[in-house]
Amino acid sequence: MTAAVAQGPNAAELRADARRERLLLGALAAPGLLLIGVVALAPIAWLFWLSVRKGDSYTLEHYARLLHSSYAYSLQTTFELTFLVTAICALLGYPLAYMLAQARQRPAAILLLFVLFPVWTSLLVRCYAWLVLLQRRGLVNTWLADAGLIDLPLRLVHNFTGTTIGMVHIMLPFMVLPLYATMRAIDRDYVRAAANLGATPSQAFRHVYVPLSLPGLAAGIIIVFILCLGFYVTPALLGGGRVMTWSMQIERNVTYHSDWGAASARGVVLLAMALAIFWAVGRGIGFNRIPGGR
């Protein structure tokens, strides 16, 4: 009886302390939440409002126009480019991240600097550098012609191929970094234990190492996929107007036609696609398994 009476006030005090702690954390987070609301949520709400307005009335006409064949083709191009770039980044980034994770700390840090170096370079500079390399009289075609491998210059720019090459170069670090963080945290004793139990190196890699690295791969795929969906600069420069993505059509709606309603509707659809991807990953993998998740 005495113990129960003693536990009552302690439990009440603990609950009161927990409430005070939550209120304190809420007060500390309030300025940041207010900033996010003003900078991020308010423009999104404004896009939603513009997408259903025409003059002084409400309408769904801007969304209905998205069913037009030209819009559907640009959306198809956007997804083809996004899937292709994401797949290539995954195929190139996984072995690169594995090499970095297996290297010693000092060599890994030096190699990681080479991976991050493109991120520190201006996006426009990188795009124009690829133009110099891939154009008809660029360095790549010149080297191939001098080596006798081609008779006519290859079309490597102002098309889907050049856009893909440039976007892979830009997006690859965003695939490598989460993979490297996950692989670096994998305990090597797991692979040694699999070997002690009779697994070959390839079996230990497939059945032990790869499953443990999947959260990092999922994080990299999400980052690259979402960034590619709304990418504008590289398709505009390396595509040469022949690769039309939704982001480019949004820019044309605003710049050439001053049609904020159509542009807003496309922006809302892209946002909905990004949220759907996040939801699917959360259902399939769980954000708590992704690096940085809780």
Side-chain angles (χ1 to χ4, degrees):
M1 187 66 163
T2 306
V5 173
Q7 290 177 358
N10 290 335
E13 291 176 1
L14 289 175
R15 287 195 294 270
D17 289 341
R19 284 195 297 269
R20 285 194 294 269
E21 184 176 356
R22 287 195 295 268
L23 290 174
L24 179 60
L25 291 175
L28 292 174
L33 294 176
L34 180 61
L35 180 62
I36 292 175
V38 173
V39 174
L41 298 182
I44 292 175
W46 182 63
L47 281 180
F48 273 99
W49 184 79
L50 286 178
S51 67
V52 296
R53 294 284 294 179
K54 185 177 181 180
D56 296 330
S57 60
Y58 292 94
T59 180
L60 294 178
E61 177 184 342
H62 302 306
Y63 290 97
R65 288 168 56 188
L66 299 181
L67 301 177
H68 192 272
S69 59
S70 62
Y71 297 152
Y73 179 76
S74 64
L75 181 62
Q76 177 184 346
T77 302
T78 301
F79 270 96
E80 288 177 354
L81 186 62
T82 299
F83 277 111
L84 180 60
V85 171
T86 304
I88 295 175
C89 285
L91 292 175
L92 295 178
Y94 195 95
L96 178 57
Y98 180 77
M99 181 190 68
L100 293 173
Q102 299 303 311
R104 294 182 179 181
Q105 187 172 2
R106 186 178 295 274
I110 296 174
L111 293 173
L112 194 60
L113 287 177
F114 286 103
V115 174
L116 293 174
F117 183 76
V119 181
W120 300 334
T121 308
S122 171
L123 182 62
L124 286 174
V125 171
R126 283 178 281 172
C127 290
Y128 280 112
W130 278 114
L131 282 176
V132 173
L133 290 172
L134 300 177
Q135 61 184 333
R136 291 178 61 86
R137 296 184 180 181
L139 296 178
V140 174
N141 277 316
T142 300
W143 291 338
L144 292 176
D146 292 342
L149 299 177
I150 59 174
D151 295 326
L152 297 175
L154 300 176
R155 294 184 58 188
L156 299 176
V157 76
H158 293 160
N159 51 24
F160 199 89
T161 301
T163 305
T164 302
I165 293 173
M167 289 184 65
V168 167
H169 173 244
I170 292 168
M171 294 298 172
L172 188 58
F174 297 101
M175 179 67 72
V176 172
L177 291 178
L179 272 171
Y180 173 74
T182 301
M183 291 178 175
R184 200 71 178 182
I186 296 176
D187 194 341
R188 299 185 182 182
D189 289 340
Y190 294 145
V191 179
R192 297 191 186 103
N196 290 335
L197 293 173
T200 62
S202 61
Q203 290 175 333
F205 179 79
R206 291 197 310 270
H207 298 293
V208 177
Y209 196 89
V210 171
L212 292 174
S213 65
L214 286 181
L217 180 61
I221 289 175
I222 292 172
I223 294 172
V224 173
F225 195 91
I226 297 300
L227 290 176
C228 288
L229 274 181
F231 220 63
Y232 170 76
V233 176
T234 303
L237 291 178
L238 298 181
R242 296 183 176 90
V243 179
M244 184 60 61
T245 62
W246 261 36
S247 59
M248 296 172 62
Q249 285 200 335
I250 290 173
E251 186 268 339
R252 293 193 176 189
N253 282 139
V254 175
T255 304
Y256 296 109
H257 307 293
S258 297
D259 192 349
W260 285 90
S264 300
R266 290 181 183 177
V268 170
V269 171
L270 281 180
L271 177 61
M273 291 176 182
L275 294 177
I277 293 169
F278 275 112
W279 178 84
V281 171
R283 293 280 294 180
I285 298 178
F287 290 108
N288 58 328
R289 297 188 60 196
I290 295 177
R294 290 293 183 266

